[in-house]
Amino acid sequence: MNISSAEFVTSAADVSTCPKVFFPEYAFIGRSNVGKSSLINFLTNRKELARTSSKPGKTLLINYFLINKSWHMVDLPGYGFAKIPDKEKFRVKKMINDYVLERKFLMCLFILVDIRIEPQEIDIDFMKSAAENEIPFVIVFTKCDKLIKKQLAQNVADYESRMLKFWETMPHYFITSANSKIGREEILDYIEVTNTHFRDLK
Ligand code: GTP
Ligand code: MG
């Protein structure tokens, strides 16, 4: 898919203030600092559409971007190790849960996982809860530029065997790097195909 336009729409502090227009949407979620905002910039080919930072906890609101005037990308705050006060952590957690459960036009959650580190309970629990609530999701392995090819293949295989302990099949996944520009076409093609199912939801 060609991205001809990508515009910031709004930052919502909770699900009740998210846009009310009928566009399919795709949200990017994962631990703080995994590379959600960087992936959005990479996919849209815009340097600073979503704000990134080397410090975890940069994104704290639900950020909407309108793509090709016909669908939304949503940058969510990270769960996990963000250094923010407990009260704010609680607010962010509730905001993410409400968002995931209540957004009717959420076509797919992209759950980002840093491929350099071993499977984390917080990610696995998040996937389990998405599956229990029948929220479609895929896994996006990020920062793949940081590993040599052999190690990358090994880590993906390890992740898969961890998942197969309790899933019948490995969820669909993408190998990406915002830095080395890997995985863009695959994700955009996936979204293009998924967008064609939007009519069925309306
Ligand atoms: P929060 O909004 O804080 O939850 O973080 P985030 O998941 O949006 O991460 P963000 O995109 O801000 O990136 C965090 C850090 O990871 C930044 O220093 C990025 O430069 C770096 N980063 C993101 N993607 C990649 C990648 O593909 N490769 C490498 N090497 N670094 C990356
Ligand atoms: Mg971010």
Side-chain angles (χ1 to χ4, degrees), residues 128-195:
K128 280 184 183 162
S129 134
E132 277 161 23
N133 289 295
E134 297 181 4
I135 311 292
F137 75 87
V138 295
I139 299 175
V140 177
F141 292 119
T142 64
K143 308 196 184 183
C144 294
D145 55 283
K146 290 278 195 181
L147 296 178
I148 56 164
K149 216 172 165 188
K150 198 172 156 202
Q151 190 64 54
L152 177 65
Q154 183 61 52
N155 288 16
V156 172
D158 289 350
Y159 210 92
E160 189 157 352
S161 29
R162 172 74 173 81
M163 295 296 285
L164 292 178
K165 283 191 182 147
F166 53 86
W167 300 79
E168 274 177 29
T169 52
M170 174 70 176
H172 193 69
Y173 66 85
F174 296 94
I175 305 260
T176 72
S177 163
N179 280 25
S180 299
K181 308 203 180 306
I182 299 167
R184 182 173 183 268
E185 281 312 306
E186 290 80 357
I187 292 183
L188 291 180
D189 288 350
Y190 185 83
I191 292 175
E192 189 169 31
V193 170
T194 310
N195 273 344

Side-chain angles (χ1 to χ4, degrees), residues 1-36:
M1 176 182 8
N2 182 33
I3 305 279
S4 51
S5 69
E7 307 149 57
F8 171 75
V9 179
T10 189
S11 294
D14 61 60
V15 69
S16 68
T17 52
C18 286
K20 308 242 172 338
V21 287
F22 297 110
F23 287 137
E25 66 191 54
Y26 298 84
F28 296 79
I29 183 82
R31 297 198 314 144
S32 290
N33 213 241
V34 68
K36 301 173 290 294

Side-chain angles (χ1 to χ4, degrees), residues 23-154:
F23 287 137
E25 66 191 54
Y26 298 84
F28 296 79
I29 183 82
R31 297 198 314 144
S32 290
N33 213 241
V34 68
K36 301 173 290 294
S37 303
S38 303
L39 184 70
I40 287 180
N41 291 338
F42 166 47
L43 292 176
T44 54
N45 205 9
R46 306 292 191 277
K47 267 203 179 104
E48 287 174 11
L49 186 65
R51 291 203 192 121
T52 65
S53 166
S54 55
K55 288 197 202 105
K58 177 70 184 172
T59 312
L60 291 172
L61 296 167
I62 305 172
N63 296 300
Y64 273 82
F65 304 97
L66 180 63
I67 313 298
N68 292 352
K69 312 227 180 268
S70 58
W71 56 277
H72 281 138
M73 264 188 196
V74 181
D75 190 14
L76 292 172
Y79 51 71
F81 59 80
K83 287 193 184 85
I84 52 175
D86 281 355
K87 201 175 157 203
E88 181 71 349
K89 253 185 211 160
F90 181 79
R91 181 194 71 80
V92 168
K93 194 173 175 196
K94 182 173 174 351
M95 181 174 82
I96 293 172
N97 282 346
D98 290 350
Y99 168 83
V100 169
L101 294 176
E102 289 176 33
R103 281 306 278 184
K104 227 172 126 195
F105 301 131
L106 177 61
M107 306 297 287
C108 182
L109 257 184
F110 288 91
I111 302 179
L112 277 63
V113 168
D114 186 334
I115 194 56
R116 296 171 301 172
I117 54 176
E118 58 185 37
Q120 303 286 304
E121 286 311 311
I122 194 165
D123 293 320
I124 309 268
D125 286 348
F126 194 85
M127 290 177 207
K128 280 184 183 162
S129 134
E132 277 161 23
N133 289 295
E134 297 181 4
I135 311 292
F137 75 87
V138 295
I139 299 175
V140 177
F141 292 119
T142 64
K143 308 196 184 183
C144 294
D145 55 283
K146 290 278 195 181
L147 296 178
I148 56 164
K149 216 172 165 188
K150 198 172 156 202
Q151 190 64 54
L152 177 65
Q154 183 61 52

